[in-house]
Amino acid sequence: MSVLTFDHVSYQYPGERFNIIDGLSFQVQEGSLHCILGVSGCGKSTIFRMINGLLQPRAGTIRVNGMPVGGQKRACGYMPQKDLLFPWRTVGENLALPLEIQGGLGRTVRLAMVDAALCDVGLAGCRDKRPDELSGGMRQRAAFARTMLTGSDLLLLDEPFSALDFLTRISMQEWLLEQWQKTGKTILFITHDVEEALFLSSSVLVVESTPIRALKEIPVPLGYPRSRKDLARTDIIELREALIGMLRKQVEA
Ligand SMILES: Nc1ncnc2c1ncn2[C@@H]1O[C@H](COP(=O)(O)OP(=O)(O)O)[C@@H](O)[C@H]1O
Ligand SMILES: [Mg+2]
């Protein structure tokens, strides 16, 4: 089933003279993991801002689970690049936020859900810490847990690991694949990093030009679970170079 559908969607920023997103159509199937790959400034985050209702398309329709977005509560879970954990709240209090906003749950139930989520992401002992007491990778895992607690089946992750150092980033990518396989959620993941897109995606959705009129779907010939060693395969290296070539064309255009 298609969880997310874009049907001829266009968007123009106020003050701009052209549509940054122009008649874009694509679909995302339930339970899949795709990266949207494109150079900085090409309009990737704009796509997410429309899905989560922060921006309204000027034309076209976006559907989540068959229903038009806008007026739909908790249509998707959104995790921006900066983790946006509130520094004055403890980690546990940060995770409880989506549950408080949702309402209707007693404090004991909320605490139990937060504890279970922290346990899931390997942060069982961190409930009463402040975000600034956590490492970069731990903060991203806490932010991911908070996104999961929105209860949405569609997760939008916007360059969540790009500020992390290399080794933390690759272990977070492995961790994310485990979470995805465990939870069965649908994940859309924005990145400008070709290797990250190859390692995570069943197929990569490439932005080849701005305005964005289409996403070019490039299947990754690797199953799951996968390991970083797979990235050294000749066919994957060739695919990596082809993707780099596609992005370069846009930078040079
Ligand atoms: N509020 C805004 N008003 C006008 N232009 C904007 C606004 N936000 C973003 N843009 C422009 O739209 C383009 C795409 O932005 P964005 O979707 O954030 O790109 P990406 O996530 O691919 O780096 C950028 O070139 C940016 O300058
Ligand atoms: Mg962006």
Side-chain angles (χ1 to χ4, degrees):
M1 198 193 109
S2 151
V3 171
L4 174 69
T5 309
F6 266 57
D7 188 7
H8 296 92
V9 172
S10 297
Y11 183 79
Q12 181 177 24
Y13 280 107
E16 292 289 344
R17 300 236 297 273
F18 65 97
N19 287 342
I20 175 116
I21 311 291
D22 192 34
L24 175 65
S25 298
F26 71 97
Q27 291 194 355
V28 172
Q29 299 305 311
E30 189 173 0
S32 61
L33 195 171
H34 299 286
C35 286
I36 298 180
L37 175 69
V39 299
S40 287
C42 72
K44 304 180 297 296
S45 297
T46 305
I47 295 176
F48 275 13
R49 290 184 204 116
M50 288 192 292
I51 303 171
N52 66 29
L54 287 174
L55 298 177
Q56 315 298 325
R58 69 187 308 216
T61 317
I62 302 172
R63 288 193 171 80
V64 174
N65 296 317
M67 305 243 297
V69 295
Q72 216 188 125
K73 254 189 171 177
R74 286 180 286 130
C76 57
Y78 174 52
M79 180 172 159
Q81 178 174 347
K82 213 170 161 303
D83 60 52
L84 300 182
L85 295 170
F86 292 112
W88 60 86
R89 285 190 157 219
T90 64
V91 172
E93 287 165 352
N94 266 286
L95 264 66
L97 255 182
L99 304 175
E100 289 167 19
I101 292 167
Q102 186 184 326
L105 297 167
R107 189 179 140 76
T108 320
V109 175
R110 288 204 306 262
L111 275 178
M113 288 173 76
V114 165
D115 280 346
L118 282 172
C119 201
D120 280 345
V121 300
L123 294 177
C126 298
R127 188 180 75 187
D128 298 322
K129 292 201 157 98
R130 303 272 163 193
D132 63 8
E133 294 177 77
L134 305 185
S135 70
M138 289 162 91
R139 289 176 68 111
Q140 291 306 93
R141 278 186 279 151
F144 182 83
R146 186 174 65 179
T147 309
M148 294 286 283
L149 284 169
T150 58
S152 312
D153 293 326
L154 172 62
L155 303 182
L156 309 177
L157 311 181
D158 193 346
E159 309 211 22
F161 306 147
S162 62
L164 302 175
D165 65 84
F166 180 71
L167 283 176
T168 309
R169 186 159 76 232
I170 62 178
S171 50
M172 289 299 290
Q173 290 164 358
E174 287 161 354
W175 175 85
L176 180 70
L177 284 185
E178 283 168 24
Q179 298 294 311
W180 171 61
Q181 298 211 280
K182 210 164 73 184
T183 60
K185 302 261 181 193
T186 309
I187 297 182
L188 258 189
F189 186 110
I190 286 179
T191 183
H192 57 257
D193 179 330
V194 173
E195 286 212 341
E196 182 164 70
L198 283 171
F199 183 64
L200 295 176
S201 310
S202 55
S203 60
V204 182
L205 305 175
V206 187
V207 177
E208 285 188 288
S209 57
T210 307
I212 303 179
R213 298 197 171 94
L215 297 175
K216 189 167 173 77
E217 182 161 3
I218 308 282
V220 178
L222 293 172
Y224 298 99
R226 50 180 73 166
S227 108
R228 285 195 61 81
K229 287 203 187 97
D230 296 328
L231 296 177
R233 268 174 37 176
T234 319
D235 58 337
I236 301 298
I237 290 175
E238 279 169 12
L239 187 51
R240 185 186 73 195
E241 293 309 309
L243 290 169
I244 291 171
M246 288 165 78
L247 299 188
R248 272 214 172 137
K249 244 193 242 159
Q250 191 180 358
V251 175
E252 287 160 6

